[in-house]
Structure formats: structure tokens, C-alpha cells
Amino acid sequence: ADLRNLVSDDWVPKNWDISHELGTGNFSEVKLGIEVKEGKKYAMKIIDKKKFLQFQHKRGSVLSLNDEADMMKSLSHPNIVTCRTWFQTEAHMYIALELVEGGDLLKNLLEDGCFQEVQAARIFLMICNAVSYLHERQLVHRDLKPENILLTSKDRETMVAKLADFGLARQNLKSRDCRTFCGTPHYFAPEVITTFTDTNTKAGYGKEVDMWSLGVILYILLSSTPPFEEEGLYNQIVEGRYEFDVQEWTCVSPEAKELVQQMMTVSPSKRINIQQALNHPWLKFVRFTPTPMR
Ligand code: ADP
Ligand code: MG
């Protein structure tokens, strides 16, 4: 085990005032944390080391506890949550993150419903810029979903989106060789599923999985409904069975639908990459439109 930055249990409350919960995930709780000396606020991600290591072991994965914090510390982008510092006790890993006060995108969608197209394009462009920054550095996030996209406010005209949760992110040295079954079922790319259900495939998967997940996110942003149903989920994904003929899609422009389709393309080699997505007319349009179009 990596014992860097190991502190005693009583060091934590002396240096950090940790209070109410901001959110939870699989092995972690995120709480408001105030650094006692400076009085500055952070989001403290507290990971249960035992749970994390058991899960890693079961998956045969080689991720270490501090990989997430180290990776975040190496990144610098306006649409990616920054990491101030990390430390660990016997039982927990603490990661002090930039506090993003508007909640996550899932909460926002549940509270206020789908986004108008201009607002969706504005937010989606920020998310794509963050993904482009990662892909340029050969990093794959692998867990893109609304819960992992944080917002600086609740006002959709002015909010800034920041990508969070680098718990599954990987540097993919050779493309298409991530082979761990991870992520969240609804956002799984088809090749993630086939790699693990079909023992004959040797493909593995790479950056393309993020593009698929971006497509699912855009689908949800514009309709506030998921593209796939719970029942028979994997089959629907592998066959790319999703529809736009539901009521939620009637007012959405053909350009937006086209972009969703180009990202949610079953074959990873035919799926568009992040640069092509950024050049898509639907996203280009927002960039050059100073006033909202309705
Ligand atoms: P996990 O890896 O367990 O999924 P996340 O890093 O995704 O943990 O954090 C879980 C939740 O905590 C997020 O969905 C979000 O609601 C909240 N959260 C995470 N980071 C921050 C932050 N920097 N500022 C505010 N809230 C956050
Ligand atoms: Mg998460």
C-alpha cells in the first residue's frame, strides 16, 4: 500500500472542519470541508479504503487509491474540477476538491427537467471541451454521466459545467486496451458490453467509450428521459436501439438529433471523435451566437 500523506485520525478534525454531505457515490461520501487555517471551503471526497480495495481486487484491477487525486492534480482546465490536496488515515482516503456549489447535473435535470436547446448546447460544449482536453492527453474518463458533471449555479443561462469523478479515468497508452468492466450500465458503450460477454472478442476499448456516453448525456439533456429502458438494457445498447419518436423529441432540431446519433453509433470505428463533435454545426452554432435563439 502507498503510505504517502498518511495522517492520524485526530489530525483530520484539527486541520479540517468537515460538515454536511454534498453527495455520495459507490465508495465515497462527499462533504463540505473547511480548511481550518485558511478558512477556505472545499468539497471533501472521503473514500472507504477497505471497500475500494475489495472492489479493485474483485475486478483484478490495478488502480491505486491515490491515482484519482494524482490525476486530478495533474490537470488544469476551466471545465474540470481541481484537486487542492489529498491525505489518508488508516481507514479513509481524503481528497480535497474545488467546491462546485450548484449541485450535479442529474439533480438539476430531476429538479428542472430537460434543457432548452441553446442552454443544452452551451453546457454540452463545456463538457466536450473538458473531454477534448483529456483525450488530447490520452486520458479516458470512462464514467461520464450527469452525476459526475457539476454545475456552478442553478441558473441555466450562466452556469458553468465542471467534469468530476476521475475514479475510473485511465491513461490509455495503446488505444482500445482498457479491458475492465466498469462505468455505469446506462452509459456503457456497446463495445464495453461485448468485450465482456463475448469471450471471442479481443478488442478492448478506448476513448470511443467516452463519446458514446457523451451521446447518452446529450440525449438526456434534451429530453430528460434515458435512451434505454431498464428491461433488456444490454441488448438495446449493443443493437443501438433508441428512438427519437417519443413526444420529448418533437421540438428538437434535426442537427441536435444528428449529433446524438453520430455519438451513439454502435461501431466504435464509425463513431465520431471529440474533435469532430466540436466541429459539428450544432455546437459550432452556439459558439457564434451571442444572443439566445429559441
Ligand atoms: P464517486 O466516485 O463515489 O461516484 P463522485 O466524485 O462522483 O464520487 O462524487 C459523488 C457526488 O458528490 C457527486 O455526484 C456530486 O453530487 C457530489 N460532489 C462530488 N464532487 C463535488 C464537488 N467538487 N463539489 C460539489 N459536489 C461534489
Ligand atoms: Mg460519481
Side-chain angles (χ1 to χ4, degrees):
D2 191 328
L3 293 180
R4 270 189 297 160
N5 304 0
L6 187 70
V7 299
S8 60
D9 286 322
D10 61 354
W11 182 91
V12 180
K14 273 189 206 135
N15 290 276
W16 288 87
D17 176 5
I18 295 172
S19 55
H20 67 266
E21 187 180 286
L22 302 168
T24 52
N26 281 333
F27 332 95
S28 70
E29 280 188 305
V30 178
K31 294 182 171 180
L32 180 69
I34 301 172
E35 196 177 30
V36 174
K37 254 183 244 148
E38 289 178 12
K40 266 191 85 179
K41 288 184 191 172
Y42 293 90
M44 187 67 90
K45 180 165 178 172
I46 307 168
I47 302 168
D48 185 323
K49 283 164 70 171
K50 210 166 144 194
K51 269 200 219 162
F52 175 91
L53 292 169
Q54 273 168 355
F55 183 78
Q56 294 297 325
H57 183 71
K58 232 174 33 204
R59 280 205 330 225
S61 170
V62 290
L63 280 184
S64 336
L65 266 158
N66 50 284
D67 282 358
E68 176 175 355
D70 286 343
M71 183 177 296
M72 290 182 92
K73 284 189 82 165
S74 75
L75 305 174
S76 169
H77 189 276
N79 302 113
I80 296 178
V81 170
T82 59
C83 171
R84 157 79 172 76
T85 182
W86 64 269
F87 51 87
Q88 57 182 328
T89 59
E90 214 58 58
H92 295 100
M93 178 81 187
Y94 291 80
I95 307 176
L97 300 164
E98 165 191 7
L99 177 63
V100 188
E101 304 200 68
D104 63 64
L105 179 58
L106 180 68
K107 278 184 210 141
N108 190 282
L109 283 161
L110 291 173
E111 280 166 20
D112 297 335
C114 62
F115 280 60
Q116 286 177 15
E117 251 183 270
V118 197
Q119 298 171 339
R122 205 179 70 82
I123 289 302
F124 196 67
L125 176 61
M126 297 184 208
I127 303 166
C128 285
N129 281 332
V131 171
S132 168
Y133 176 88
L134 296 179
H135 286 191
E136 266 170 29
R137 285 160 182 73
Q138 311 310 323
L139 295 169
V140 189
H141 185 280
R142 302 203 300 175
D143 202 13
L144 296 174
K145 56 179 175 178
E147 299 92 300
N148 291 339
I149 293 161
L150 308 179
L151 304 167
T152 55
S153 86
K154 291 190 190 295
D155 176 6
R156 288 181 172 178
E157 302 281 336
T158 56
M159 58 170 56
V160 172
K162 296 196 182 236
L163 186 53
D165 197 352
F166 284 71
L168 294 176
R170 278 304 191 78
Q171 183 120 37
N172 85 324
L173 300 168
K174 281 172 257 128
S175 82
R176 310 261 225 123
D177 67 354
C178 289
R179 294 194 126 261
T180 333
F181 199 41
C182 62
T184 308
H186 269 100
Y187 304 87
F188 275 173
E191 66 272 25
V192 178
I193 296 165
T194 44
T195 304
F196 288 88
T197 50
D198 178 357
T199 45
N200 292 320
T201 26
K202 295 216 165 57
Y205 53 91
K207 288 175 195 161
E208 302 90 350
V209 301
D210 283 348
M211 298 313 297
W212 175 277
S213 307
L214 283 176
V216 180
I217 292 171
L218 183 54
Y219 188 106
I220 296 174
L221 268 177
L222 291 170
S223 65
S224 78
T225 52
F228 304 110
E229 280 157 30
E230 209 67 56
E231 172 117 7
L233 179 67
Y234 286 5
N235 283 330
Q236 292 171 57
I237 295 175
V238 169
E239 291 163 20
R241 259 194 281 130
Y242 55 91
E243 286 165 5
F244 294 117
D245 59 3
V246 282
Q247 190 225 325
E248 289 83 356
W249 282 97
T250 44
C251 297
V252 177
S253 71
E255 289 81 9
K257 289 179 195 167
E258 185 192 66
L259 180 56
V260 172
Q261 263 165 340
Q262 290 178 349
M263 292 189 290
M264 290 179 75
T265 292
V266 173
S267 163
S269 59
K270 294 193 185 120
R271 199 174 300 153
I272 63 171
N273 65 32
I274 194 63
Q275 227 39 59
Q276 292 167 320
L278 284 167
N279 283 321
H280 189 278
W282 189 72
L283 277 179
K284 284 223 134 149
F285 190 66
V286 255
R287 235 168 301 173
F288 302 117
T289 309
T291 48
M293 45 147 191
R294 304 263 174 202

